[in-house]
């Protein structure tokens, strides 16, 4: 999950750390440098400007399960090494809202929720996607050596990108290592105002 917001000074990071560390016990900090290169071509003359920006990144790690929460002055990223269930996700989202309250973040410019799963030894005669998103090719008479599909569905609060594929590293030979990838990427279509919008329930609808 990723959330983007307006630039924040992170002046209350210590208070944030106090409520995060019970869930993510290890904390680290680093300063990142990003560069933006602008090139303007006019009358065959190139005007190149390089803008450097410093970004502070705080990483909170759960040493037991490998889950991480990364907080910068413009975004928050929550990653699960081994996703178990949505109850844990919703608890962490509630924690994130408390962090934003401390930082006085009032508007979430964009919220992303992404789920990626790799299924090993899949059954090529079985489909793993809800039929409303299904471009079923299981009726193919030959051997399927590669399968890549993308569907984008628009909802009231978000756009859902449904991606699923059998990549096959041995292409164009037959599939040897059977691995089926499901990639679901849901993103809000407009900014969410924490005090005015029912942000938690909107997020749950993404799930």
């Amino acid at each position: 999950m990723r959330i983007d917001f307006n630039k924040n000074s992170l002046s209350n990071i210590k208070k944030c750390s106090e409520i995060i560390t019970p869930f993510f016990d290890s904390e680290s900090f680093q300063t990142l440098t990003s560069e933006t290169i602008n090139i303007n071509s006019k009358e065959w003359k190139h005007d190149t400007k390089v803008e450097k920006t410093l970004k502070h990144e705080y990483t909170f790690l759960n040493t037991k399960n490998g889950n991480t929460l990364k907080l910068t002055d413009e975004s928050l990223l929550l990653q699960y090494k081994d996703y178990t269930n949505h109850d844990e996700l919703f608890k962490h989202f509630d924690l994130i809202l408390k962090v934003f309250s401390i930082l006085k973040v009032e508007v979430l410019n964009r919220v992303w929720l992404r789920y990626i799963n790799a299924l090993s030894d899949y059954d090529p005669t079985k489909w793993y996607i809800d039929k409303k998103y299904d471009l079923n090719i299981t009726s193919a008479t030959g051997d399927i050596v590669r399968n890549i599909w993308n569907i984008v569905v628009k909802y009231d609060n978000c756009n859902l990108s449904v991606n699923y594929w059998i990549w096959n590293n041995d292409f164009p030979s037959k599939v040897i290592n059977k691995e089926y990838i499901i990639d679901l990427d849901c993103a809000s279509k407009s900014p969410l105002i924490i005090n005015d919008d029912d942000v938690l329930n909107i997020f749950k609808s993404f799930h």
Side-chain angles (χ1 to χ4, degrees), residues 38 51 53 65 80 107 114 146 160 163 201:
N38 298 313
E51 298 179 359
T53 305
N65 55 31
Y80 290 102
V107 178
R114 189 175 186 186
R146 179 165 289 175
L160 172 64
N163 310 282
N201 281 328

Side-chain angles (χ1 to χ4, degrees), residues 7 56 70 88 125 128 136 141 160 203 205-206:
K7 197 171 183 65
H56 302 304
K70 293 185 178 182
E88 182 181 29
T125 64
Y128 300 94
N136 198 329
T141 57
L160 172 64
F203 177 74
S205 71
F206 289 5

Side-chain angles (χ1 to χ4, degrees), residues 3 6 8 32 60 71 79 83 98-99 104 112 117 121 143 146 156 192 207:
I3 301 175
N6 294 333
N8 189 283
L32 306 175
F60 300 88
L71 178 64
Q79 291 181 302
Y83 180 77
K98 291 177 181 177
V99 169
K104 301 188 185 307
W112 277 278
N117 195 12
D121 295 325
D143 292 318
R146 179 165 289 175
D156 291 339
L192 301 176
H207 187 275

Side-chain angles (χ1 to χ4, degrees), residues 111-115 155 157-161 184-188 205-207:
V111 178
W112 277 278
L113 180 61
R114 189 175 186 186
Y115 171 84
Y155 293 99
N157 296 321
C158 65
N159 290 328
L160 172 64
S161 178
L184 306 176
D185 190 350
C186 189
S188 59
S205 71
F206 289 5
H207 187 275

Side-chain angles (χ1 to χ4, degrees), residues 47-66:
D47 180 19
T48 303
K49 294 182 179 180
V50 179
E51 298 179 359
K52 292 187 177 182
T53 305
L54 294 179
K55 181 181 294 186
H56 302 304
E57 180 181 85
Y58 295 86
T59 300
F60 300 88
L61 170 68
N62 185 314
T63 54
K64 293 182 178 179
N65 55 31

